[in-house]
Amino acid sequence: MSGLFNGTKKHVATYTEPAPTEISSILQGGYHHPLLRQWQYERQLTKSSLIYPLFITDNEDEVTPIDSLPKQNRWGVKKVVPYVESLVAKGLKAVILFGVPLAEGSKDPYATSADDPNGPVILTIKALRKSCPDLFIICDVCMCEYTSHGHCGILREDGSILREDSVRRLAAIAVNYAKAGAHCVAPSDMVDGRVLAIKRGLIDAGLAHKCMLMSYSAKFSGNLYGPFRDAAGSAPSFGDRKCYQLPPGGRGLARRAIIRDLGEGTDAIIVKPSTFYLDIVSDAKELAKDVPICTYQVSGEYAMLHAAAEKGVVDLKTIAFEAANGCLRAGATLIISYFTPDFLDWLDEF
């Protein structure tokens, strides 16, 4: 010990790892070719993976660009049908419909126009079933586009959601979409108990065997929905949706909601938004191993990528694929994306 304190330098033994005579693998050999790089993907983006969101108005001849959502339009039923036909010819397999009632008096506290037989959604279901018989048609089920207050359910006097009345109304809307020919209904309202109510409604109507229920089980509140609300005219007239959409840090709540919705009979799970919530996608895949997992790359995410590309920060095609592959890698098998028309072209290049 004295050598440690008398200024003399004491030798300390160190370990030096011997240089390996062989390495276990040359990894680059597994991805040096474009096809090999595709083979390394556990899940690959295909045209069957994609679901295209469409905004349908009650003006049947309308085609109106959405300024905050590049390359997207609000469509009337007469205009959307030939547009969708052109995408089906390129390989489009699925759409999700959002109604946008614009006529004066079309909104009220009970979302009466949501399932109007002559409203935009039901007319479009029937038109697309006739013109594109192989197209899979999903209908978003919510009330915010149709209520005078812009919230996702029927309200109490204090502005909070009246759960019992709301789930009854949501179930009625979903069943009427299914009766019109929708292959799938997707409740996005986040009102507790609506999955069970919708599933019971489909069973009672004799439609559960031919209408999928795809629940937005993990839908988070946040700042990424602005362009959608511009498109759908669905911004709340007062307050916000933080008391029924999940808080951004609420991973445990998302897990509980996924488990609950599975127990109530959902056939698939949607996580929304996508890019900032890939941990939730991974959780959904863990908790719901036996059902499809879908992510919704929401309007704000899409608009951000376009804005970055316009500034020269990213290449649009490359970043679109990178974002999609992040969702697939996390566990998604389906992606709702505004990039769908572009992907239909880009995937043909491979």
Side-chain angles (χ1 to χ4, degrees):
M1 291 293 290
S2 60
L4 293 175
F5 302 99
N6 62 9
T8 62
K9 191 171 184 180
K10 194 170 185 70
H11 174 73
V12 178
T14 59
Y15 172 74
T16 302
E17 184 176 350
T21 57
E22 295 183 2
I23 63 173
S24 61
S25 178
I26 302 292
L27 294 180
Q28 289 91 336
Y31 58 92
H32 72 90
H33 187 279
L35 181 59
L36 290 177
R37 290 191 281 276
Q38 291 294 311
W39 286 358
Q40 296 297 335
Y41 289 31
E42 183 180 351
R43 300 178 184 88
Q44 295 194 27
L45 186 67
T46 68
K47 294 180 181 182
S48 296
S49 309
L50 296 165
I51 300 167
Y52 186 38
L54 290 166
F55 299 98
I56 313 297
T57 78
D58 47 15
N59 178 353
E60 61 184 15
D61 293 308
E62 183 172 357
V63 183
T64 301
I66 303 163
D67 292 339
S68 57
L69 205 55
K71 299 173 66 175
Q72 306 301 311
N73 299 303
R74 282 192 293 266
W75 299 91
V77 62
K78 286 187 177 180
K79 299 297 184 181
V80 79
V81 169
Y83 175 61
V84 172
E85 288 174 342
S86 72
L87 296 179
V88 168
K90 295 180 178 183
L92 178 68
K93 304 297 183 184
V95 295
I96 183 167
L97 305 180
F98 297 89
V100 187
L102 299 175
E104 186 175 352
S106 60
K107 300 188 179 190
D108 63 28
Y110 307 100
T112 304
S113 63
D115 51 353
D116 180 351
N118 296 309
V121 172
I122 287 180
L123 289 178
T124 301
I125 294 168
K126 293 178 177 179
L128 289 177
R129 285 295 301 261
K130 182 177 180 180
S131 66
C132 304
D134 295 326
L135 181 69
F136 190 78
I137 301 170
I138 307 166
C139 290
D140 181 87
V141 178
C142 197
M143 298 167 67
C144 59
E145 303 103 308
Y146 308 96
T147 53
S148 49
H149 46 69
H151 281 280
C152 301
I154 297 169
L155 302 183
R156 295 184 175 91
E157 289 186 6
D158 65 3
S160 61
I161 295 288
L162 184 57
R163 193 195 69 80
E164 295 84 356
D165 289 359
S166 296
V167 298
R168 279 194 292 269
R169 181 71 187 112
L170 290 161
I173 294 167
V175 168
N176 283 327
Y177 289 163
K179 287 179 177 178
H183 300 103
C184 175
V185 289
S188 62
D189 53 280
M190 293 297 290
V191 176
D192 292 326
R194 88 279 203 212
V195 171
L196 180 60
I198 292 170
K199 180 64 80 171
R200 284 177 172 168
L202 292 172
I203 292 170
D204 291 345
L207 296 167
H209 66 291
K210 61 179 181 178
C211 184
M212 184 186 206
L213 200 170
M214 180 185 291
S215 173
Y216 291 75
S217 299
K219 179 179 177 180
F220 290 82
S221 63
N223 202 33
L224 290 167
Y225 302 133
F228 178 95
R229 291 172 184 172
D230 290 344
S234 61
S237 61
F238 66 90
D240 54 42
R241 297 173 180 150
K242 293 179 180 179
C243 288
Y244 47 97
Q245 294 179 1
L246 301 179
R251 184 178 185 180
L253 284 169
R255 293 174 65 92
R256 290 167 61 193
I258 290 165
I259 293 168
R260 179 197 62 193
D261 285 3
L262 286 170
E264 292 185 6
T266 192
D267 300 303
I269 300 291
I270 301 175
V271 177
K272 177 183 180 181
S274 62
T275 309
F276 299 161
Y277 295 87
L278 296 184
D279 59 327
I280 309 301
V281 179
S282 181
D283 285 350
K285 188 61 180 175
E286 170 205 337
L287 296 168
K289 293 182 175 67
D290 300 320
V291 304
I293 305 299
C294 178
T295 59
Y296 194 150
Q297 185 186 58
V298 300
S299 59
E301 296 173 90
Y302 173 82
M304 283 194 300
L305 296 184
H306 265 276
E310 289 172 7
K311 293 290 186 181
V313 176
V314 298
D315 174 74
L316 186 63
K317 175 182 172 183
T318 303
I319 199 67
F321 272 103
E322 190 169 343
N325 283 321
C327 295
L328 297 173
R329 192 176 64 248
T333 51
L334 304 170
I335 301 175
I336 302 171
S337 176
Y338 300 98
F339 280 114
T340 295
D342 295 312
F343 279 134
L344 295 176
D345 292 329
W346 291 336
L347 287 167
D348 283 340
E349 298 172 9
F350 288 98

